[in-house]
Amino acid sequence: METLREGMLWDWETFPEWMNTLDRIPKGVNCLSYVPLAPLMTYVMGLDNAKSRSSTPDELAEMQRLMREALSVGACGWSARRMGTDGLQNDYDGTPMVTDTMSDHDAFAFADILGEKREGFIQITQATGDGPADFKVEEQLAEQRGKHRAEVMIDLSIETDLQGTFLTKSVTCVNADDIEEILASPYVFPGVSDGGAHTKFLTTGSFTTDTIAWLVRDEARMTLEQAHYKLSYLPAHAAGFQDRGFLREGAPVVYELDRLAQLPSWNDSEVVHDLPGGEWRRIQRAQGYRWIVVNGEITFENDVCTNATPGRLLRHGQG
């Protein structure tokens, strides 16, 4: 919480005000902003109501009005998660998050606004069933100590003075055949993000380096041109960016394919204390990039950050 207090500007309440604040914050990359449904529903309905029931006609009309207002000032669409009552991540009090139990009626009503304006897109995490968890190490220790694995994890936390960490297997697919089949669809491009929500647990911004190094160089499942199309032009087109995402003939090569790598590996992720207030996070660094150029300015040179902040807020696809 202290990091949020120190690192965020709290001079806004409405979405248009937030966009104006985001516009003037120094940025190293270009960005756009979704309308997050959980704060929107809480703002209009109140937290308890938003968690316990569908919206009334008046509440829904007001939320749709605010959605239209947000799109008019450059929101790119809306985002939400619908994980049901048994989601893996619950609210501070153990109850589901606001949108976890959002009704289909309300979800479609928000989608109708995008259809009405013929712009914007939806980012949604939808529960589809429970996958098997991997607790092999904990189960082995539990058997050795004669305890339940949850008790073992608590014991280990105490024994390490709360400095111990528990890393799970990667949550992404590592089967090149499956990924090749998925990416063959003209409607799919690689990407993953949690909006920085899990900085102490994982890093999710390495998919671009991973796609080129793994699927192009190591597995030869796609050409370099196909990878650039999937990673650059197609996402730019989907997001409504104008005059962005092209790799033009004659443009300089900005990375060395044989050197591309994510450092360190997942199991050895680096911990740095660089968040506001001295808080810590996990990071991975990219290797093999000669330059990263944003709006004509170099932000990374030979894998080293230049601290330049030429990024812009892209409203309606333009900065």
Side-chain angles (χ1 to χ4, degrees):
M1 184 62 70
E2 194 58 39
T3 296
L4 290 175
R5 290 195 184 101
E6 189 171 325
M8 281 285 291
L9 295 176
W10 298 103
D11 58 353
W12 54 274
E13 177 179 339
T14 67
F15 193 87
E17 291 170 347
W18 154 246
M19 290 288 274
N20 290 335
T21 294
L22 180 58
D23 209 353
R24 68 174 185 272
I25 293 175
K27 295 173 284 295
V29 296
N30 295 324
C31 67
L32 29 68
S33 182
Y34 290 99
V35 178
L37 290 193
L40 175 64
M41 295 173 67
T42 302
Y43 186 74
V44 173
M45 300 173 62
L47 181 60
D48 291 339
N49 288 334
K51 286 189 170 211
S52 60
R53 61 170 174 80
S54 296
S55 61
T56 66
D58 287 345
E59 289 169 339
L60 184 57
E62 174 62 7
M63 290 189 289
Q64 288 182 312
R65 183 191 70 79
L66 292 173
M67 180 70 70
R68 291 187 184 93
E69 179 182 66
L71 291 172
S72 71
V73 298
C76 65
W78 58 261
S79 64
R81 47 167 273 175
R82 300 180 71 200
M83 303 301 290
T85 57
D86 299 315
L88 293 176
Q89 298 169 324
N90 294 325
D91 209 345
Y92 71 96
D93 58 356
T95 61
M97 297 291 189
V98 168
T99 57
D100 278 340
T101 55
M102 177 175 59
S103 69
D104 288 344
H105 177 265
D106 286 358
F108 285 129
F110 290 125
D112 285 343
I113 303 303
L114 305 187
E116 170 190 303
K117 298 184 73 69
R118 301 186 65 82
E119 64 179 40
F121 47 99
I122 296 168
Q123 182 186 60
I124 189 166
T125 302
Q126 181 80 42
T128 57
D130 296 326
D134 186 355
F135 295 108
K136 291 180 181 178
V137 175
E138 289 88 344
E139 288 172 350
Q140 290 172 0
L141 289 173
E143 185 176 347
Q144 293 172 7
R145 298 190 179 196
K147 295 183 176 182
H148 189 275
R149 62 171 180 258
E151 294 179 288
V152 170
M153 295 179 72
I154 294 172
D155 287 345
L156 290 173
S157 297
I158 295 173
E159 291 167 13
T160 59
D161 195 25
L162 303 183
Q163 299 303 305
T165 58
F166 301 89
L167 292 178
T168 62
K169 294 172 63 177
S170 171
V171 296
T172 59
C173 179
V174 295
N175 186 308
D177 292 332
D178 292 344
I179 296 297
E180 181 181 22
E181 181 179 351
I182 292 170
L183 289 180
S185 168
Y187 304 107
V188 175
F189 51 82
V192 60
S193 175
D194 60 357
H198 304 91
T199 56
K200 285 182 168 57
F201 303 101
L202 75 165
T203 59
T204 58
S206 58
F207 67 89
T208 49
T209 300
D210 185 56
T211 298
I212 297 174
W214 177 41
L215 295 177
V216 175
R217 183 190 65 198
D218 299 342
E219 293 287 340
R221 299 307 179 101
M222 59 171 50
T223 67
L224 198 56
E225 291 79 6
Q226 289 171 329
H228 277 284
Y229 173 77
K230 288 284 190 177
L231 288 169
S232 186
Y233 177 79
L234 188 56
H237 175 72
F241 293 172
Q242 299 182 25
D243 196 30
R244 298 174 190 271
F246 298 96
L247 184 65
R248 293 187 172 89
E249 183 177 354
V253 176
V254 296
Y255 59 82
E256 300 170 72
L257 186 59
D258 59 345
R259 291 187 61 244
L260 283 189
Q262 303 151 245
L263 300 175
S265 67
W266 161 241
N267 289 326
D268 300 313
S269 55
E270 181 180 351
V271 171
V272 296
H273 293 77
D274 63 352
L275 291 177
E279 194 54 81
W280 67 274
R281 64 184 177 122
R282 296 185 183 276
I283 65 168
Q284 281 183 308
R285 303 179 190 273
Q287 172 186 286
Y289 291 89
R290 297 181 187 176
W291 306 285
I292 297 177
V293 182
V294 178
N295 299 325
E297 292 189 42
I298 296 175
T299 59
F300 276 78
E301 186 167 8
N302 295 321
D303 305 326
V304 178
C305 181
T306 66
N307 293 317
T309 55
R312 300 170 187 162
L313 171 62
L314 303 180
R315 300 176 188 251
H316 308 294
Q318 301 182 69

